[in-house]
Amino acid sequence: MISLTRALYSKLLRYALKFGVIGLAGYFIDVSIFNLLRLGVAGDGHFFQGPIGAKILSAGIATVVTWFGNRYWTFREHRRQNYLLELAEFSAVSVGGILIGLACLWVSHYLLGFTSLLADNISSNLVGLVLGTSFRFLLYRFWVYGHHRADGLTAREHKAEAARMAIFEDEQSASEAAAS
């Protein structure tokens, strides 16, 4: 039972807790920038003061901040050499999570007819947030920062270890030893 708990923690729970901390930071950044822009702190009468412009900018900044947090803290041992591709995939998954929240709101509000402010908040900020966050966590963990990535930090370390061992052994033995 203890080994199962340790395995669960090292494989999933540790990442989920770090992911949650980074996600909360991103959430507060998003909400803060959105509200500051809407209140006219950056000036009046421009696209980014309106709700759509403010949300695009605040969500974009929050996505970059959470990418840095996840890249260098949550999934640091799986970050990749091609950081631009990693950022593009991270951003695509982020947009997918946002779309899940919007879909929950749309279904509740327009399909099911729950039009109160409370219903909108429950569908988007509770159901949509849980489903979207779960989607993002799984895709970040197993796709964007997956251990299968050939250019990931972990893969590069395994290759370097195999190369060091190959100096003293035949290549097959070194690869097997590095993999274990």
Side-chain angles (χ1 to χ4, degrees):
M1 182 65 173
I2 292 173
S3 63
L4 177 64
T5 304
R6 282 186 187 145
L8 182 63
Y9 176 78
S10 70
K11 298 289 184 191
L12 198 62
L13 190 57
R14 176 173 56 109
Y15 292 110
L17 292 172
K18 288 179 177 183
F19 181 77
V21 169
I22 297 298
L24 277 174
Y27 175 77
F28 287 121
I29 288 167
D30 185 7
V31 170
S32 298
I33 291 173
F34 176 79
N35 284 299
L36 287 171
L37 289 169
R38 291 291 290 134
L39 291 171
V41 172
D44 293 329
H46 55 79
F47 176 70
F48 294 110
Q49 187 184 14
I52 301 299
K55 190 61 180 176
I56 289 170
L57 188 59
S58 67
I61 292 170
T63 297
V64 171
V65 169
T66 57
W67 173 68
F68 273 105
N70 283 305
R71 176 176 172 77
Y72 292 106
W73 187 48
T74 307
F75 303 113
R76 70 177 169 260
E77 60 271 1
H78 300 293
R79 67 181 183 261
R80 295 175 17 218
Q81 206 165 15
N82 187 343
Y83 62 90
L84 292 176
L85 178 60
E86 181 183 287
L87 177 59
E89 291 174 353
F90 187 93
S91 298
V93 172
S94 292
V95 168
I98 291 168
L99 292 175
I100 289 172
L102 289 173
C104 291
L105 178 60
W106 186 84
V107 166
S108 170
H109 193 95
Y110 295 105
L111 219 55
L112 300 177
F114 298 120
T115 58
S116 72
L117 183 60
L118 177 63
D120 287 349
N121 274 288
I122 289 172
S123 64
S124 67
N125 295 325
L126 187 64
V127 177
L129 184 66
V130 168
L131 293 176
T133 299
S134 300
F135 169 82
R136 283 189 300 269
F137 174 73
L138 290 172
L139 264 70
Y140 290 156
R141 173 67 182 94
F142 297 107
W143 181 51
V144 177
Y145 297 106
H147 65 279
H148 67 283
R149 296 297 188 149
D151 71 334
L153 182 61
T154 306
R156 291 191 314 265
E157 288 173 354
H158 285 293
K159 288 176 188 173
E161 180 67 21
R164 283 192 298 274
M165 295 175 107
I167 293 172
F168 302 106
E169 303 174 14
D170 64 87
E171 193 171 318
Q172 178 67 25
S173 299
S175 295
E176 290 171 3
S180 61

